[in-house]
Amino acid sequence: MKIKNKLTIHYDQKPIYDILLENDFSKLKDALIALGYEKRKLLIVTETNVAPLYLEEIKTLLTPIFREIVCFTFQAGEQQKQLSTVSAIYTTLIEHQFDRKDVLLALGGGVTGDLTGFTASTYLRGVDFVQVPTSLLAQVDSSIGGKTGVDFDSYKNMVGAFYQPSLVYINTGTLKTLPEHEFNSGLGEVIKHGLIKDKEYFSWISKHREEIARREPDVLKDMIYRSCEIKGDVVERDPKEKGERALLNFGHTLGHSIEKLMNFSMLHGDCVVIGSELASLISWKRGLISKEELEQIEELFQYFHFDTLPATLDYKEIVSATKLDKKMDQGQIKFILLHPIGNAKIDKTVTQEEMLWALESYKRLENL
Amino acid sequence: MKIKNKLTIHYDQKPIYDILLENDFSKLKDALIALGYEKRKLLIVTETNVAPLYLEEIKTLLTPIFREIVCFTFQAGEQQKQLSTVSAIYTTLIEHQFDRKDVLLALGGGVTGDLTGFTASTYLRGVDFVQVPTSLLAQVDSSIGGKTGVDFDSYKNMVGAFYQPSLVYINTGTLKTLPEHEFNSGLGEVIKHGLIKDKEYFSWISKHREEIARREPDVLKDMIYRSCEIKGDVVERDPKEKGERALLNFGHTLGHSIEKLMNFSMLHGDCVVIGSELASLISWKRGLISKEELEQIEELFQYFHFDTLPATLDYKEIVSATKLDKKMDQGQIKFILLHPIGNAKIDKTVTQEEMLWALESYKRLENL
């Protein structure tokens, strides 16, 4: 693959926003000037893990172009992705008299992006926001496609909006500081992109697994670019998840149930990996992928040491919890299966028995 | 004018939703079947004043076509137009396992429509909703154009979304039960439509003032149709209030300040009328309308006995409060003036002194 630095996401054939890929933050200022943001007010939303690493750098960099920069730092963690945090951001915006032309910037991982995007979509019925994702998961997944939202009670992303950022600025340099566990969690999504859309990419990831694990910058950039491209293509064709976009939910049906039953103590990416393994098992059981393909998938996931299914969970409870998933369609659970690797399809016929079988089989596969 | 029953609102030249005008609820069922809602779940959101009048009728009418009908009735009043009520609706939706294809129906005035629309726009990132406005204000104004939202602290409509209903069903029969004060409050918007867009319509309202006050059905239907047409035209050309739509905010700059300083104890329509009189005064002071036109405006507003400016309010405070208005643009207040009747324009040069002058002059005009 060839290194590229820019991707443009379209809607109805019109360009909506750019994704810029850089090794540092140096081009962020010019990108914001190009959007016409000079002399506006900026609210940077970030969290306690990311703020010490990048907040001062970004503030210093952007001070010359904005009329005022305000920062909102929340306690890191999925627990804060809720309406009370959104309300606290509204209060900050009102106190600083932000108007419709002022701008929000999300500096952090997926939680920060989802929270900031939802706040931007609803403050004064919508103000601009910029995504500066600092985790691999946010860079290849959540910052692209305009899904914003918060959890409600224990229901994940129950409240939200489809709302596009005006820019996604990816500094791959931030991956250097990412804890291994979180880095690998992002890789779960990367592997998913290969599985659902591009067998060749899946093979490329398998082949470069060591360089990826060592976080070699050029390989990472290639990888992020291709993942952004796949995700971008899907959301362009189906911005509001009426069809194809649902394929990105590969691994999510059972993954979300596990995440929820574990009270979000596990990383989203790890849960999706378990869900992906389970969906791969069901795909194999149905004869849609070969035993060899199933083993390739398992092997790659195992290489990156993803968390495995917690032994404490009750399989029946996991299956029951899928019924509360928002991807339901008139009472039917939408499952994504591989037909084969590189070509996922939506399937509404997966039974509770098949899910239970996969959960039971999963344990054995752990000892492959 | 000729009685018409249907208006279609477009977006990007594509038809988005219909406004149906009827004398009863009898055509609602077929309209919902036409939208493909059969066998889905329906949540009817309404409030304590409207529920005793129409809720049972609507439920009985729609029971045959929906899989399940759930009702959410909140305490009537602007005080409930806030995030905590939205959260209570989310909880109801989750408890009844509403999914993305299920539907919300707003039965009531502007508060009900704004609240329900915002909930629909954010539940699972957006589900369908139907507007069944029962107040004149909601029928001619708030149910059309996709502005949804709630107040935040004491800030009106601070949080919200642009989100279109799938249908607006107006039963003009509901106006029979509307308290006079509320009916007249809606007339404030109707007169505004004439003032900003159609001098001939303004004259028609003046001429038919007695039939309107007597609520003669055919005259009301003509009037509502023309007002929906004017509002619909404006929002079609400018769905997100980037330009022309701001004209609908005639009377709102000072009107909102008064509403806020009175802690929403006055009706929105009355406050906008006061704001409209003040904006007309400024228009006259600037030589944009004649003394005769100013008097025509005043006379019509006085005929319908709108509330006048409360003597308790401090003029300077009213002017100060305009600075927190969300229609500000980089610190500048957007005022709407008449150039002349039937042709409103946005003006960013109105000074605090002019506003103070209008407030002081207003008191005199009350004794015309």
Side-chain angles (χ1 to χ4, degrees):
Chain A
M1 283 186 278
K2 203 176 132 248
I3 294 181
K4 293 166 192 166
N5 282 73
K6 187 174 141 181
L7 258 171
T8 302
I9 304 292
H10 298 74
Y11 186 79
D12 262 355
Q13 266 93 54
K14 284 175 225 149
I16 300 294
Y17 60 94
D18 288 337
I19 303 170
L20 300 183
L21 252 92
E22 300 292 340
N23 291 320
D24 55 33
F25 288 121
S26 65
K27 303 240 165 57
L28 180 59
K29 192 171 94 173
D30 285 344
L32 297 179
I33 291 173
L35 288 167
Y37 290 162
E38 263 183 296
K39 303 219 172 76
R40 299 193 185 178
K41 293 183 191 179
L42 179 74
L43 177 77
I44 302 173
V45 179
T46 190
E47 37 92 323
T48 46
N49 289 339
V50 173
L53 299 169
Y54 307 114
L55 185 56
E56 277 314 306
E57 183 184 348
I58 300 260
K59 258 182 81 172
T60 307
L61 189 76
L62 300 182
T63 293
I65 61 165
F66 284 94
R67 185 150 51 104
E68 184 182 348
I69 296 183
V70 182
C71 301
F72 181 96
T73 305
F74 64 92
Q75 184 64 45
E78 176 89 25
Q79 297 75 15
Q80 300 307 310
K81 199 173 124 175
Q82 51 169 289
L83 285 177
S84 61
T85 313
V86 174
S87 288
I89 304 175
Y90 292 147
T91 301
T92 304
L93 290 166
I94 291 170
E95 276 169 5
H96 291 86
Q97 300 190 16
F98 270 57
D99 70 33
R100 285 179 178 164
K101 295 202 171 164
D102 296 323
V103 183
L104 274 65
L105 184 149
L107 174 67
V111 169
T112 308
D114 285 5
L115 196 59
T116 309
F118 181 61
T119 309
S121 79
T122 51
Y123 181 68
L124 299 177
R125 299 199 189 91
V127 295
D128 277 8
F129 89 111
V130 171
Q131 290 269 26
V132 182
T134 58
S135 75
L136 180 57
L137 186 58
Q139 290 176 357
V140 297
D141 182 32
S142 58
S143 70
I144 306 160
K147 275 193 182 180
T148 71
V150 293
D151 304 330
F152 188 80
D153 289 341
S154 60
Y155 300 99
K156 213 171 139 57
N157 296 321
M158 208 67 185
V159 169
F162 286 101
Y163 195 72
Q164 308 301 331
S166 49
L167 172 73
V168 179
Y169 187 99
I170 298 175
N171 167 7
T172 55
T174 59
L175 299 181
K176 274 181 271 176
T177 55
L178 204 63
E180 188 176 357
H181 202 71
E182 281 207 39
F183 179 78
N184 287 355
S185 171
L187 281 181
E189 290 290 322
V190 167
I191 296 169
K192 187 192 76 179
H193 289 147
L195 285 176
I196 63 166
K197 278 285 164 193
D198 185 351
K199 192 178 162 100
E200 202 181 306
Y201 181 46
F202 176 79
S203 304
W204 180 91
I205 301 163
S206 283
K207 197 177 138 202
H208 293 81
R209 64 181 75 181
E210 286 172 31
E211 293 128 289
I212 293 170
R214 283 197 306 271
R215 307 193 197 181
E216 290 192 7
D218 287 351
V219 174
L220 288 192
K221 226 172 160 184
D222 276 350
M223 181 186 83
I224 293 168
Y225 189 88
R226 180 64 191 134
S227 267
C228 287
E229 217 170 28
I230 290 174
K231 168 110 194 210
D233 278 353
V234 172
V235 300
E236 275 188 355
R237 283 193 295 263
D238 178 22
K240 295 209 170 167
E241 199 167 321
K242 306 258 181 212
E244 182 185 349
R245 185 165 179 166
L247 300 180
L248 292 167
N249 292 325
F250 180 70
H252 280 60
T253 307
L254 287 162
H256 266 174
S257 296
I258 294 162
E259 197 173 6
K260 205 154 52 187
L261 292 173
M262 291 301 287
N263 288 315
F264 302 101
S265 61
M266 289 175 68
L267 284 176
H268 173 71
D270 280 318
C271 297
V272 171
V273 163
I274 298 168
S276 300
E277 291 171 295
L278 294 165
S280 302
L281 270 164
I282 296 173
S283 304
W284 168 71
K285 185 81 188 301
R286 288 190 172 198
L288 305 170
I289 60 170
S290 67
K291 183 81 186 168
E292 195 196 342
E293 286 180 303
L294 179 63
E295 281 167 0
Q296 280 171 7
I297 296 168
E298 278 304 322
E299 207 187 323
L300 189 56
F301 281 130
Q302 288 190 18
Y303 178 81
F304 289 111
H305 305 294
F306 292 103
D307 273 1
T308 50
L309 186 62
T312 51
L313 287 184
D314 181 87
Y315 296 162
K316 282 189 182 147
E317 269 188 59
I318 297 174
V319 173
S320 280
T322 60
K323 284 187 216 152
L324 284 170
D325 197 273
K326 69 174 175 310
K327 284 173 282 297
M328 292 244 294
D329 180 355
Q330 297 295 289
Q332 281 188 306
I333 291 162
K334 273 199 251 174
F335 223 92
I336 315 299
L337 297 176
L338 304 175
H339 283 228
I341 292 178
N343 184 35
K345 285 187 184 169
I346 299 168
D347 191 297
K348 294 185 185 172
T349 67
V350 173
T351 61
Q352 306 210 357
E353 288 67 34
E354 284 178 296
M355 293 188 231
L356 272 174
W357 169 85
L359 284 157
E360 279 153 16
S361 311
Y362 177 83
K363 278 186 105 174
R364 286 195 302 275
L365 276 169
E366 229 176 294
N367 309 314
L368 258 185
Chain B
M1 282 186 277
K2 202 174 132 252
I3 293 181
K4 292 166 194 165
N5 282 72
K6 187 173 143 182
L7 258 171
T8 303
I9 303 293
H10 298 74
Y11 186 78
D12 263 356
Q13 267 92 53
K14 285 175 225 151
I16 300 295
Y17 60 93
D18 288 337
I19 303 171
L20 300 185
L21 253 90
E22 299 294 340
N23 291 319
D24 55 34
F25 288 121
S26 64
K27 303 239 167 58
L28 180 59
K29 193 171 94 173
D30 284 345
L32 297 178
I33 291 173
L35 287 167
Y37 291 162
E38 264 183 296
K39 304 221 172 76
R40 299 194 184 179
K41 293 183 191 179
L42 179 74
L43 177 76
I44 302 173
V45 179
T46 189
E47 37 92 325
T48 47
N49 290 338
V50 173
L53 299 170
Y54 307 114
L55 184 56
E56 277 313 308
E57 183 184 347
I58 300 259
K59 258 182 80 174
T60 307
L61 189 75
L62 300 182
T63 294
I65 61 166
F66 285 94
R67 184 151 51 106
E68 184 182 349
I69 297 182
V70 182
C71 302
F72 181 96
T73 305
F74 63 92
Q75 184 63 44
E78 176 89 25
Q79 297 77 14
Q80 300 307 311
K81 200 174 124 175
Q82 50 169 290
L83 285 177
S84 61
T85 313
V86 175
S87 288
I89 304 176
Y90 292 147
T91 301
T92 304
L93 290 166
I94 291 169
E95 277 170 3
H96 291 85
Q97 301 192 14
F98 270 57
D99 70 33
R100 285 177 176 165
K101 294 204 171 163
D102 296 322
V103 183
L104 274 65
L105 184 149
L107 174 67
V111 169
T112 309
D114 286 5
L115 196 60
T116 309
F118 182 61
T119 309
S121 78
T122 52
Y123 181 69
L124 300 177
R125 298 199 188 93
V127 295
D128 277 7
F129 89 110
V130 171
Q131 290 269 25
V132 183
T134 58
S135 75
L136 180 58
L137 186 59
Q139 290 176 355
V140 298
D141 182 33
S142 59
S143 68
I144 307 160
K147 276 194 181 178
T148 71
V150 293
D151 305 330
F152 188 80
D153 289 341
S154 59
Y155 300 98
K156 213 173 140 55
N157 295 323
M158 208 68 186
V159 169
F162 285 101
Y163 194 72
Q164 307 302 331
S166 48
L167 171 73
V168 180
Y169 187 98
I170 298 176
N171 167 7
T172 54
T174 60
L175 299 181
K176 275 182 270 177
T177 56
L178 204 63
E180 188 175 358
H181 201 72
E182 282 207 39
F183 179 78
N184 287 355
S185 171
L187 281 182
E189 289 290 322
V190 167
I191 296 169
K192 187 192 77 181
H193 289 147
L195 285 175
I196 64 166
K197 278 288 164 189
D198 185 351
K199 194 179 160 96
E200 203 182 307
Y201 181 46
F202 176 78
S203 304
W204 181 91
I205 300 163
S206 283
K207 197 176 137 201
H208 292 81
R209 64 180 75 180
E210 285 171 30
E211 293 128 289
I212 292 169
R214 283 198 304 270
R215 308 192 195 180
E216 289 191 6
D218 286 351
V219 173
L220 288 191
K221 224 170 163 187
D222 275 351
M223 181 186 83
I224 293 168
Y225 189 87
R226 180 64 191 135
S227 267
C228 286
E229 216 171 30
I230 290 174
K231 170 111 194 209
D233 278 354
V234 172
V235 300
E236 275 188 356
R237 282 192 296 264
D238 179 21
K240 295 211 171 165
E241 199 167 323
K242 305 259 181 214
E244 182 186 348
R245 184 164 178 166
L247 299 181
L248 293 168
N249 292 324
F250 180 70
H252 281 60
T253 308
L254 288 161
H256 266 176
S257 296
I258 293 163
E259 197 174 4
K260 203 154 55 187
L261 291 173
M262 292 300 288
N263 288 315
F264 302 101
S265 60
M266 288 174 69
L267 285 176
H268 174 71
D270 280 318
C271 297
V272 171
V273 162
I274 299 168
S276 300
E277 290 173 295
L278 295 165
S280 301
L281 271 164
I282 296 173
S283 303
W284 169 70
K285 184 81 188 303
R286 288 191 171 198
L288 305 170
I289 60 170
S290 67
K291 182 79 186 170
E292 196 196 339
E293 286 180 302
L294 178 63
E295 281 166 0
Q296 279 171 6
I297 296 168
E298 277 304 323
E299 209 188 318
L300 189 56
F301 281 131
Q302 289 190 17
Y303 177 81
F304 290 110
H305 304 293
F306 292 104
D307 274 359
T308 51
L309 187 62
T312 50
L313 288 184
D314 181 89
Y315 296 162
K316 281 187 182 148
E317 270 188 58
I318 297 174
V319 173
S320 281
T322 60
K323 283 186 218 152
L324 284 171
D325 198 275
K326 70 174 174 307
K327 285 173 282 296
M328 292 243 295
D329 180 356
Q330 298 295 287
Q332 280 188 309
I333 290 162
K334 273 200 251 174
F335 223 93
I336 315 299
L337 297 176
L338 304 175
H339 284 228
I341 292 178
N343 185 35
K345 285 186 184 168
I346 299 167
D347 190 297
K348 294 185 186 173
T349 67
V350 173
T351 62
Q352 307 210 356
E353 289 68 33
E354 284 179 295
M355 291 187 230
L356 272 175
W357 170 85
L359 283 158
E360 279 153 15
S361 311
Y362 176 83
K363 279 187 101 173
R364 286 196 301 275
L365 275 169
E366 228 176 298
N367 308 313
L368 257 183

